[in-house]
């Protein structure tokens, strides 16, 4: 009976391990969206952007129509586009006077309102004086009164002070409406700044006002940007107070001047559209200046610590 002999194993022949081919599918990292999710999200964002831009593009398109009834048949604008509406608004109306009034009132309201709001918010955030909590609630209550209720007493006060049809009178009226909200906004933002910074300023010999201006305000720049933007837009687009307290047509703000193109028997919508496009330029420029700090300021005031 013969037995099979095993094959001879050569010692000088190395055994190479089997190398697996790398997988073509890269594992998805944590937080990384799939291709389908990315496509859907981008599609939604594109559609939302188009929806947001459509009214602006439509307004610009209507402003290029020479006739006041072109909005009824907008397809006919393509063959007769012109910038005559902008020329008429700039040369034949009091647009430049409205621009001066608007800039004086809006910038004055923004400057005074932000200063008062910042000092008020800092005082309530850092100092514990008697009635500081009730003071903030009083500011909040003032926001609950409708414009129609405030119109008559404000008119009587401005009339007694001889501030009717003046820039200062309208600025003070606007400050009375924006300061309460901005004071709450700045108080919430100052609460996020560590109190140790104030203590360090006092150790260095700074007064409370010096600590506020030299240490706290530079850190509160995003909150100041949000307050300034809110104040700017509120004063820029307000109509009721401006149309009541500014009597001269050369002292109309943009919001009031825009209404002059529509009367009981006529509506020059082409000129209104052109004026609206021109009005949007200062607001867009101001937004561009403060946009870097807007997101930070809007989110930081909601948390503390």
């Amino acid at each position: 009976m013969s037995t099979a002999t095993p094959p001879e194993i050569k010692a000088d022949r190395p055994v190479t391990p089997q190398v697996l081919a790398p997988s073509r599918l890269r594992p998805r990292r944590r937080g990384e969206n799939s291709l389908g999710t990315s496509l859907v999200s981008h599609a939604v964002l594109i559609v939302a952007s188009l929806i947001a831009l459509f009214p602006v593009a439509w307004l610009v398109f209507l402003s290029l129509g020479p006739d006041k009834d072109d909005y009824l048949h907008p397809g006919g604008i393509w063959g007769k586009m012109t910038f005559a509406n902008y020329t008429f608004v700039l040369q034949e109306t009091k647009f430049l006077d409205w621009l001066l009034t608007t800039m004086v009132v809006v910038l004055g309201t923004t400057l005074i309102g932000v200063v008062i709001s910042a000092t008020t918010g800092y005082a309530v955030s850092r100092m514990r004086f008697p009635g500081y909590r009730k003071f903030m609630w009083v500011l909040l209550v003032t926001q609950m009164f409708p414009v129609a209720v405030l119109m008559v007493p404000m008119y009587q006060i401005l009339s007694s002070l001889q501030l009717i049809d003046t820039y200062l009178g309208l600025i003070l009226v606007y400050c009375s409406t924006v300061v309460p909200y901005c004071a709450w906004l700045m108080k919430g933002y100052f609460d996020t700044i560590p109190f140790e910074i104030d203590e360090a300023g006092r150790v260095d010999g700074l007064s409370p006002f010096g600590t506020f201006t030299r240490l706290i305000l530079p850190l509160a720049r995003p909150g100041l940007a949000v307050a300034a933007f809110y104040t700017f837009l509120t004063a820029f687009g307000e109509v009721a107070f401006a149309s009541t307290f500014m009597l001269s047509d050369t002292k109309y703000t943009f919001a009031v001047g825009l209404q002059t193109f529509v009367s009981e028997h006529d509506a020059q919508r082409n000129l209104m559209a052109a004026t609206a496009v021109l009005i949007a330029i200062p607001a867009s420029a101001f937004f561009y200046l403060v946009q870097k700090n807007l997101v930070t300021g809007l989110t930081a005031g909601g948390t503390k610590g």
Side-chain angles (χ1 to χ4, degrees), residues 134-145:
K134 296 180 180 179
F135 174 72
M136 293 302 293
W137 283 109
V138 169
L139 291 179
L140 187 61
V141 169
T142 60
Q143 298 291 95
M144 301 180 182
F145 294 98

Side-chain angles (χ1 to χ4, degrees), residues 97-155:
D97 294 331
W98 302 342
L99 174 63
L100 175 63
T101 300
T102 302
M103 291 297 100
V104 171
V105 172
V106 169
L107 295 180
T109 303
T110 302
L111 178 62
I112 297 176
V114 170
V115 170
I116 297 176
S117 302
T119 52
T120 303
Y122 179 75
V124 177
S125 175
R126 292 295 194 264
M127 303 175 185
R128 295 298 178 262
F129 52 88
Y132 76 97
R133 293 184 181 274
K134 296 180 180 179
F135 174 72
M136 293 302 293
W137 283 109
V138 169
L139 291 179
L140 187 61
V141 169
T142 60
Q143 298 291 95
M144 301 180 182
F145 294 98
V147 175
V149 176
L150 300 175
M151 194 76 69
V152 174
M154 282 187 174
Y155 190 92

Side-chain angles (χ1 to χ4, degrees), residues 165-180:
D165 201 25
T166 61
Y167 297 143
L168 180 59
L170 191 58
I171 290 173
L172 294 177
V173 170
Y174 286 163
C175 286
S176 66
T177 60
V178 300
V179 165

Side-chain angles (χ1 to χ4, degrees), residues 57-129:
W58 186 253
L59 184 66
V60 174
F61 179 69
L62 291 180
S63 69
L64 300 176
D67 300 327
K68 61 182 180 180
D69 295 328
D70 283 336
Y71 73 98
L72 297 176
H73 38 82
I77 298 178
W78 292 105
K80 53 181 180 179
M81 284 187 177
T82 178
F83 291 96
N85 294 329
Y86 294 95
T87 303
F88 183 87
V89 170
L90 292 175
Q91 295 180 356
E92 304 298 332
T93 67
K94 295 181 174 58
F95 181 85
L96 297 181
D97 294 331
W98 302 342
L99 174 63
L100 175 63
T101 300
T102 302
M103 291 297 100
V104 171
V105 172
V106 169
L107 295 180
T109 303
T110 302
L111 178 62
I112 297 176
V114 170
V115 170
I116 297 176
S117 302
T119 52
T120 303
Y122 179 75
V124 177
S125 175
R126 292 295 194 264
M127 303 175 185
R128 295 298 178 262
F129 52 88

Side-chain angles (χ1 to χ4, degrees), residues 1 5 24 47 57 78 80 95-96 109 119 137 142 148 156 159 170 199 206 214 222 241 251 271 286 289:
M1 181 175 182
T5 58
R24 296 182 179 179
V47 172
W78 292 105
K80 53 181 180 179
F95 181 85
L96 297 181
T109 303
T119 52
W137 283 109
T142 60
Q156 293 178 346
S159 179
L170 191 58
E199 296 177 347
L206 293 176
R214 298 180 62 179
F241 289 130
K251 290 186 178 180
L271 300 179
F286 186 81
L289 294 176

